[in-house]
Amino acid sequence: GENVEQHPSTLSVQEGDSAVIKCTYSDSASNYFPWYKQELGKRPQLIIDIRSNVGEKKDQRIAVTLNKTAKHFSLHITETQPEDSAVYFCAATSGFQKLVFGTGTRLLVSP
Amino acid sequence: GAVVSQHPSRVICKSGTSVKIECRSLDFQATTMFWYRQFPKKSLMLMATSNEGSKATYEQGVEKDKFLINHASLTLSTLTVTSAHPEDSSFYICSASHPLGTDTQYFGPGTRLTVL
């Protein structure tokens, strides 16, 4: 089955810096890769996603890149703000509509 | 659009009792819903896939007799934790996929279960 690894587990940046979180997956059949942001005690919120027929997608300060050959994808946040502080999870599809999540990255943006 | 609700938001129960958690899709019909479990500072672990009108598909290691799932309508799936024990204490989150067939999952707000 699918296995998703995520790094780093924690990431501390200064406000205004960029943050990059990386994930690798094992199943070459995976074709959908969402990123979720989760604040403490809250539901995961979809922030961006990418499908396997696209190499890069951007939405304002957030971008995701996908390298199907290497089976890895990354989340890029530019001009970070304190409200970006949260836990971020990557995920990849495993079978029909099932998602396998990475272990999460705790992002802390200091003012 | 694509709003998922969950009830209750938190529940405290005594060991040995059963607890039912409801997951509803409010503005769309969800043929497939998913149940996850999340321990503190951990990732989301899929427990089972719930399909309307059919039996749920459980992930390896999840006891189907302990975690009963019913998906009786296109907008409601329920998870019943039977004979709950302290080790069942966790954050349970449901999600629903949109019927247009995309892979996007929309999550409920979660239920914090504490078993005393």
Side-chain angles (χ1 to χ4, degrees):
Chain A
E2 177 69 279
N3 182 50
V4 179
E5 295 189 357
Q6 183 172 347
H7 299 281
S9 57
T10 59
L11 180 59
S12 295
V13 300
Q14 293 290 319
E15 182 177 1
D17 288 349
S18 295
V20 180
I21 303 170
K22 298 181 179 181
C23 288
T24 60
Y25 61 99
S26 60
D27 188 352
S28 57
S30 294
N31 57 9
Y32 175 66
F33 308 91
W35 286 89
Y36 288 89
K37 174 184 180 182
Q38 187 180 32
E39 298 177 354
L40 189 62
K42 305 288 186 180
R43 78 182 82 195
Q45 296 271 14
L46 179 69
I47 56 172
I48 197 166
D49 57 12
I50 192 167
R51 299 187 186 278
S52 59
N53 58 346
V54 176
E56 184 174 357
K57 183 177 179 181
K58 189 174 182 180
D59 183 4
Q60 298 183 335
R61 297 187 296 110
I62 296 173
V64 57
T65 58
L66 171 66
N67 183 325
K68 284 195 303 180
T69 303
K71 288 191 277 191
H72 65 71
F73 56 113
S74 301
L75 177 71
H76 305 253
I77 306 175
T78 59
E79 300 172 28
T80 55
Q81 301 166 3
E83 50 265 38
D84 294 329
S85 297
V87 179
Y88 291 80
F89 292 99
C90 64
T93 47
S94 173
F96 181 65
Q97 291 189 328
K98 283 174 50 174
L99 289 178
V100 175
F101 284 80
T103 49
T105 296
R106 188 171 301 275
L107 175 65
L108 175 62
V109 181
S110 302
Chain B
V3 179
V4 178
S5 71
Q6 218 173 309
H7 178 81
S9 58
R10 61 179 67 227
V11 57
I12 301 172
C13 69
K14 293 183 179 181
S15 188
T17 60
S18 294
V19 175
K20 179 185 284 188
I21 303 169
E22 293 186 348
C23 178
R24 293 181 185 272
S25 55
L26 299 185
D27 52 1
F28 66 102
Q29 294 182 326
T31 54
T32 304
M33 290 184 171
F34 302 87
W35 287 96
Y36 294 85
R37 184 174 182 175
Q38 187 177 33
F39 290 109
K41 298 186 178 181
K42 297 295 183 182
S43 187
L44 288 85
M45 299 299 296
L46 180 65
M47 299 175 65
T49 302
S50 171
N51 294 296
E52 187 266 337
S54 64
K55 291 183 178 181
T57 303
Y58 290 82
E59 294 300 301
Q60 192 173 5
V62 178
E63 299 176 60
K64 60 181 180 181
D65 294 331
K66 181 167 185 61
F67 299 99
L68 301 179
I69 292 171
N70 184 272
H71 195 154
S73 77
L74 288 172
T75 59
L76 173 65
S77 176
T78 60
L79 168 68
T80 302
V81 183
T82 63
S83 187
H85 288 92
E87 57 265 30
D88 298 324
S89 299
S90 188
F91 193 49
Y92 292 88
I93 314 176
C94 70
S95 71
S97 57
H98 200 277
L100 288 179
T102 66
D103 297 304
T104 303
Q105 291 187 23
Y106 300 93
F107 283 85
T111 297
R112 173 80 54 196
L113 171 62
T114 302
V115 184
L116 303 177

